[in-house]
Amino acid sequence: GLTGLEAWGEQYLAGTRGGTLSAIAPDGSVYSEIASRPSAPALNVYTTLDRNLQAIVQGAIEDAYRFAQPTWAPTANGAAVIVMDVNTGEIMAMASYPNYDPNILYPRNGNPLLTDTYINGLLNDTRKPFFNRATSSAQPPGSIFKMITMATGLGSGLFTPESEYTCTGVWEELGRRLDWKEGGHGTLTFVQGLTGSCDPWFYHVGYATGQQDPNLIPTYARGFGLGKPTGIELDEEAGLVPDPAWLQQTRGETWTLDDSVNIAIGQGDMLTTPIQMVTAAAAIANGGTLYQPHLVGSIGISRDEPTVTFGPVPTGTLPINTDQLRAIQEGMRGVTSIIDLGTAENRLGSMQIATAGKTGTAQVSLPGAQPIAWFVGYVPYDSPELAIIVMVENGGQGSTVASPIFRRIVERWYDLRVFHYPDDWADPDLYEFVKDIGE
């Protein structure tokens, strides 16, 4: 009960001791009763988690690491997945990997694993199994941040959804930078630029909006809930939305257009957490309302007779209009559906349910480390219910590593045909494994 949800709920879980303060006469008799307080029973905290969905999420991560991780990123440190109800902010599933069995920490349960060697092994594990990556892993978001950069470009008045940019594979408005796709994407509208995650398109947006006002992208990022705690009942990191004032105060440096270009693709000093990004994606899905994510549904002696009930808590509205939001949604839909352009279409295009999302591959500064793999999306596209984020630390490409985990969760939850994990990052025995469990 020292950390996590138990720490938040201690005031309810502990109950209240009762007592009476009395004045006692010299002969030991009660002279008078000064004050009294009745005892109160401990209450139960009922979460918003769905047990079945939680098992699906944990299984999807564990299967990926067990059968595929050695081939796609042997250096991957860990992962996080969050599933949120887009219309309420309820967290329906949350998992951080690697995890541990909390029973090992209870000395009276007779667990044979409860040894100093085993506990010290967990404490010294460089992958940090006690670290909740879902709320506390602040990482560069990479290209999933392009949703917010697009919102900035549209809101600035400099661009429309139909604005076009010709990507040759090399961007040279400020120095020389390459697109992730060799040879470039050709001529794309702004919506198509998001679908294809065209780096030069978004360098161009960062350059243009940075010239107009270097605070534009940071301001829109905060409007999507970044740079501050979400308010969830767990410990969390605030992340970082850098801006000219921050750079001057912390480093004594002057903001340049290079900084605007870097954050436009979610790099530079920008740091976000999975819980922040899934909250932003949920707002995109539901029409623009930011909800405070929450894990507690009610508190009481029983679920049927709660003492306290927690409902949706709107915390803001996205700083874009309906047409601009629709353009972002359209671009995200294309990510999973448009052949030869959508960055996750080859992984998600054959699904039996319409989805929308954004891939991200965030470079890190550690020598030899793989990028952070991200995928954030929502489902179903036409009538959104769930927003889901997958983050794999040092896992590699978001489209290759994170989006298949998203797919596994969606297909199992909606009772669809479940496809095996991609054979280009799975060992040969995976096909037998899939066959054995009826997939």
Side-chain angles (χ1 to χ4, degrees):
L2 298 179
T3 62
L5 196 56
E6 286 192 68
W8 176 89
E10 178 64 17
Q11 59 181 317
Y12 306 105
L13 295 167
T16 304
R17 292 181 179 274
T20 301
L21 177 63
S22 301
I24 306 299
D27 62 1
S29 61
V30 176
Y31 177 72
S32 67
E33 182 178 301
I34 298 172
S36 65
R37 183 178 69 183
S39 62
L43 300 176
N44 296 310
V45 173
Y46 296 97
T47 73
T48 59
L49 297 172
D50 184 285
R51 183 182 181 89
N52 292 333
L53 183 54
Q54 181 71 25
I56 288 170
V57 165
Q58 292 182 187
I61 299 176
E62 291 167 4
D63 286 352
Y65 269 79
R66 179 182 177 189
F67 293 97
Q69 180 263 344
T71 65
W72 48 251
T75 60
N77 289 323
V81 175
I82 306 171
V83 182
M84 174 187 285
D85 185 320
V86 303
N87 297 306
T88 64
E90 291 185 356
I91 302 300
M92 297 182 63
M94 175 184 287
S96 180
Y97 185 90
N99 53 19
Y100 64 94
D101 183 352
N103 287 314
I104 65 170
L105 302 177
Y106 182 58
R108 299 178 185 176
N109 66 0
N111 193 311
L113 295 178
L114 189 64
T115 64
D116 289 342
T117 300
Y118 187 78
I119 295 296
N120 287 333
L122 286 174
L123 292 172
N124 296 320
D125 190 332
T126 58
R127 299 176 304 165
K128 301 180 181 180
F130 292 108
F131 179 58
N132 182 9
R133 288 170 165 83
T135 62
S136 297
S137 184
Q139 303 287 354
S143 290
I144 62 173
F145 186 79
K146 289 174 181 174
M147 302 180 298
I148 297 170
T149 303
M150 184 174 181
T152 307
L154 295 173
S156 71
L158 298 173
F159 303 96
T160 70
E162 295 76 29
S163 294
E164 291 187 344
Y165 177 85
T166 299
C167 170
T168 65
V170 181
W171 183 75
E172 296 182 294
E173 291 178 89
L174 185 69
R176 178 183 171 88
R177 299 173 188 238
L178 301 178
D179 189 17
W180 67 265
K181 183 178 181 180
E182 187 175 354
H185 284 82
T187 300
L188 301 174
T189 66
F190 205 176
V191 172
Q192 291 170 332
L194 182 66
T195 293
S197 199
C198 174
D199 286 331
W201 226 126
F202 286 85
Y203 292 145
H204 178 61
V205 176
Y207 181 70
T209 57
Q211 287 180 309
Q212 186 185 65
D213 181 354
N215 284 294
L216 265 183
I217 293 179
T219 298
Y220 272 82
R222 295 187 185 98
F224 275 73
L226 306 188
K228 61 183 179 182
T230 64
I232 195 170
E233 299 94 338
L234 304 176
D235 292 338
E236 61 176 323
E237 288 294 317
L240 174 62
V241 175
D243 59 20
W246 171 85
L247 189 61
Q248 182 63 45
Q249 182 178 358
T250 59
R251 296 180 186 167
E253 299 175 3
T254 300
W255 188 272
T256 68
L257 282 173
D258 270 323
D259 296 302
S260 294
V261 169
N262 281 335
I263 66 170
I265 62 164
Q267 295 285 171
D269 293 300
M270 182 73 68
L271 296 174
T272 63
T273 61
I275 189 64
Q276 290 173 333
M277 293 308 299
V278 77
T279 301
I284 292 173
N286 70 31
T289 301
L290 283 163
Y291 286 104
Q292 179 177 303
H294 62 281
L295 274 163
V296 177
S298 63
I299 296 170
I301 296 296
S302 71
R303 189 184 293 271
D304 295 331
E305 297 181 4
T307 302
V308 182
T309 300
F310 298 89
V313 179
T315 60
T317 302
L318 296 183
I320 50 179
N321 63 38
T322 301
D323 291 338
Q324 293 163 352
L325 179 59
R326 188 178 298 112
I328 296 172
Q329 293 169 340
E330 183 183 344
M332 293 175 67
R333 173 61 182 139
V335 168
T336 67
S337 64
I338 298 181
I339 298 172
D340 295 331
L341 182 61
T343 53
E345 188 281 329
N346 62 335
R347 304 296 187 194
L348 308 179
S350 61
M351 292 181 69
Q352 296 172 289
I353 189 171
T355 64
K358 185 69 191 77
T359 56
T361 304
Q363 303 298 320
V364 293
S365 59
L366 296 175
Q370 291 286 325
I372 310 298
W374 292 92
F375 185 84
V376 63
Y378 59 91
V379 62
Y381 174 69
D382 295 322
S383 183
E385 297 173 349
L386 305 179
I388 304 172
I389 193 161
V390 179
M391 185 276 293
V392 182
E393 290 182 357
N394 308 119
Q397 300 291 321
S399 59
T400 303
V401 174
S403 67
I405 298 173
F406 169 91
R407 175 172 185 153
R408 176 65 62 92
I409 293 166
V410 170
E411 289 181 333
R412 282 194 163 155
W413 175 247
Y414 285 97
D415 197 25
L416 306 174
R417 180 185 177 190
V418 178
F419 282 71
H420 58 72
Y421 278 138
D423 55 10
D424 61 356
W425 56 261
D427 68 36
D429 294 334
L430 180 58
Y431 285 98
E432 292 302 315
F433 165 75
V434 170
K435 180 179 178 180
D436 289 345
I437 61 175
E439 294 181 3

